[in-house]
Amino acid sequence: MFLINCPYCGEREQSEFSCGGEAHISRPKNPPDTSDDQWADYLFMRKNIKGVQFERWNHSSGCRQWFNVVRNTSTDEILGIYNMGEAIPEIDGENPKTPSGEPEIGSGNISTSFKKK
Amino acid sequence: MILNRENAVIELKDQTIKEYGGIEFQEIAFAQKINLRGNSNNKSFMTLQGKLLDAVLPTKSNTYTNNGKIKILWLGPNEWLIVDEDKKNNELFLKLEKSDSHEESAITDVSENRTIIRIRGKKIFNLLAKFLVIDLDKNLSNDSSVVQTLFVKVPIILVRNNSNVVEIDLYVNRSHANYVYNLLVDGTKNLDF
């Protein structure tokens, strides 16, 4: 549970929002020329970062508007909020150091065998 | 077209006012509600709607405007809910629909979607605080406040009326109205905290 500062409604509780997953994933400009691997990468592959991640959120129980959030997935600390279409802001934050040194990309403490290209 | 005249809350039939723990409940069942969508940055759209409704569409978030006949609630930067409590038919909707010449706007009659439970009393905030996660003092402090939030898990709209006693209109889906009302009545016990 944490608070999110909706750019339109103000500070509200997380249960009013829906997370739309990783932000800034653009659709391939020419789908017929896109290989299956590239298409699968666009559709399914997500970074799942343990640390600072750029996400899309929707205030589904409020104004129903989409916006971008920069969130530290380890601590749920919100480092920035900006509107759709705006440039990615510079974030002054480091991914947390973990004792076992697992990779940033992975699920929790279990490292995965793939990395996003 | 005549609107559905059945109350959604069984205990509040025929404009009955019930009182529990110093808080009054009444259902405003037959208000006409129109959902209006359009670009608030489009000056001609805003001017046209303002003339038709004889009221200004609110552009400030979480507020409503009131011209004495209708209320216009802010639902989003490009969405409003027009509420006409007195009208028992859809005259206003037909008027807006007839003059809708904007390509980037949409008008929908949503009168049957929600009902209004009017709550009046000094300890309303104590009652609502049992069910809501929002900061009521911050979000419902002004007489023209509108808040869209969740009541337990039911989507609701709260509108603070301009009244001497604290009075709040709770807009809720008709199908959830009894559930919400029963929870509110149950919550009126032990309000002195």
Side-chain angles (χ1 to χ4, degrees), chain A residues 76-87:
Chain A
D76 276 341
E77 183 189 4
I78 291 179
L79 302 162
I81 289 175
Y82 55 105
N83 286 325
M84 303 302 280
E86 283 183 10

Side-chain angles (χ1 to χ4, degrees), chain A residues 1 3 5-17 59-65, chain B residues 35 37 61-62 74-79 114 133-134 138-139 146-150 155-156:
Chain A
M1 292 266 230
L3 295 170
N5 197 3
C6 169
Y8 303 96
C9 300
E11 203 169 62
R12 297 292 179 85
E13 213 256 338
Q14 180 225 336
S15 59
E16 289 189 13
F17 297 83
H59 194 185
S60 48
S61 298
C63 60
R64 290 171 293 286
Q65 299 296 304
Chain B
N35 186 282
R37 300 203 72 158
S61 60
N62 304 319
W74 181 94
L75 296 185
N78 52 14
E79 188 176 6
R114 294 188 182 98
V133 289
I134 57 164
K138 188 176 163 188
N139 289 295
V146 175
V147 178
Q148 299 170 86
T149 186
L150 293 172
I156 59 160

